[in-house]
Amino acid sequence: MSNRVVITGLGVVSPNGVGIPAFRTAIQQGVSGIRFEEQLAALNFSCQIAGKPEVSQEILTAYFNELELKQLTSSGIIYGIIAGLEAWQDAGLSIGDENGDPDWDSGTIFGTGTSGVEKFRESVYKVDEGQVRRLGSSVVPQTMASGVSAYLAGKLGLGNQVTTNSSACTTGAESLLLAYERIKNGQAVRMLAGATSDSSPYIWGGFDALKVCTYKFNATPEKGSRPLSASASGIVPGSGAGALLLESLEAALERGANIYAEVLGGNINAGGQRNGGTMTAPNSKAVQHCITAALANAGVNGADIDLVNGHLTATGKDAEEVMNWSKALGVEGERFPYLNALKSMTGHCLSASGSIELVASALQIKEGFIFPNINCEDLHPEVTALVDPQRIPRTLLHKSINLLAKASFGFGDVNACVILKKYLQS
């Protein structure tokens, strides 16, 4: 069995917009969600800016009951539930009877890098103080890696595979490809794919210590994340969640669902931390192999890709990534596809980045636009040596996109590339 797979629902909790309407407006207008964080300054961080979603009380009460709001303190789980439920509702799906059977045809692969760091810290102090009996009943579900997928399964009554993947910054793209394979092979009718990341200095601190974060824009936060720029000086840490409802084309057509895009295929690989690849740096040969294998799996040619939504983190590796795309696609100059980098507006949302960027990718395909790249008025000369600057738009373009390639690369020298196609509904 080989089912065609489409995206029928989207949900997002992003630093520059919570919910699809707000997020769409923000990316089209080039609005940054990066702000100065007083907590980071008080903790003596070098980088005192971050991309942190602003979730209103109105949104919280729309998705959680009073008891849940009292118990849940894990920001990653909260973000993931909001994004996941929005995607489910956006797909036009209803939640089954709480007293009925599970939905055997539906499942979720919802990833995370860490879970409930703040809750874990709170619990450690209580245990150290001999207050283990005061931990409460929600510690385990909020700190286990699979907490986000478990909570979503309970909210939606999912009866198919329910699991959490974790592959650093590749997590979101990987979750979509794993869900895609399950539907393609006939093991599920629909899967909720996504990823989330906590907002916490206890996560961001490690990156600050690695000296991969910028410290030059604390007074001008919205200018801090500068992918493709000659003046890029490091990542801006971020957080949030993205979710995509994947469904067999047959099931989507049968119920008259709105289709954002078709998933043609992709590839997941690793560089083995060889040939320049390390725990924190990519092996270029492996990145190129991931992209070429994704193209082959999807049955398309590199020269036919209209838009690349890159990983592009605002570090010295951006030019190397562009070089890898150029070699893998077999194009350069005016033949290079349009290129955009969402992290210029959101910062690097770590394990959630791929899913948030895939939501942006699906919106661009469905609605025929290319969002602007901000903070790259001074394009890096190694980038412009391979890409016509006109292919890196600084203003919103209204343009039909047929094929889009989205890749994510993560610590551990791991890679994932997804190929999406415009679906023409008759």
Side-chain angles (χ1 to χ4, degrees), residues 196-323:
T196 189
S197 180
D198 284 305
S199 292
S200 173
Y202 303 106
I203 295 172
W204 297 337
F207 294 92
D208 203 72
L210 280 171
K211 298 183 179 179
V212 297
C213 299
T214 184
Y215 61 87
K216 297 182 177 180
F217 297 92
N218 291 336
T220 53
E222 69 283 352
K223 297 183 182 298
S225 187
R226 308 182 67 80
L228 303 168
S229 169
S231 55
S233 55
I235 73 168
V236 174
S239 55
L244 303 96
L245 197 287
L246 274 59
E247 188 168 1
S248 73
L249 176 61
E250 180 181 6
L253 292 177
E254 184 177 335
R255 66 184 190 86
N258 174 51
I259 296 174
Y260 285 96
E262 181 172 2
V263 183
L264 289 188
N267 187 60
I268 303 167
N269 79 351
Q273 299 175 42
R274 301 291 191 272
N275 298 323
T278 68
M279 180 63 75
T280 59
N283 172 345
S284 283
K285 187 174 181 180
V287 169
Q288 293 168 33
H289 183 271
C290 182
I291 297 168
T292 56
L295 295 169
N297 180 259
V300 300
N301 296 315
D304 295 328
I305 298 296
D306 300 306
L307 174 62
V308 167
N309 186 266
H311 188 58
L312 299 170
T313 57
T315 66
K317 292 295 181 181
D318 285 2
E320 183 178 327
E321 179 182 334
V322 171
M323 178 270 291

Side-chain angles (χ1 to χ4, degrees), residues 302-304 322-323 325-333 335-337 386:
D304 295 328
V322 171
M323 178 270 291
W325 280 108
S326 180
K327 288 187 175 181
L329 297 176
V331 295
E332 62 178 61
R335 295 175 58 239
F336 199 97
L386 293 170

Side-chain angles (χ1 to χ4, degrees), residues 20-36:
I20 294 300
F23 180 67
R24 177 196 291 110
T25 298
I27 64 173
Q28 287 183 338
Q29 295 181 359
V31 175
S32 173
I34 297 170
R35 291 171 285 274
F36 178 76

Side-chain angles (χ1 to χ4, degrees), residues 320-356:
E320 183 178 327
E321 179 182 334
V322 171
M323 178 270 291
N324 288 329
W325 280 108
S326 180
K327 288 187 175 181
L329 297 176
V331 295
E332 62 178 61
E334 294 180 354
R335 295 175 58 239
F336 199 97
Y338 286 97
L339 178 64
N340 57 20
L342 187 66
K343 292 181 182 69
S344 62
M345 296 182 242
T346 63
H348 192 338
C349 296
L350 306 176
S351 54
S353 61
S355 290
I356 295 173

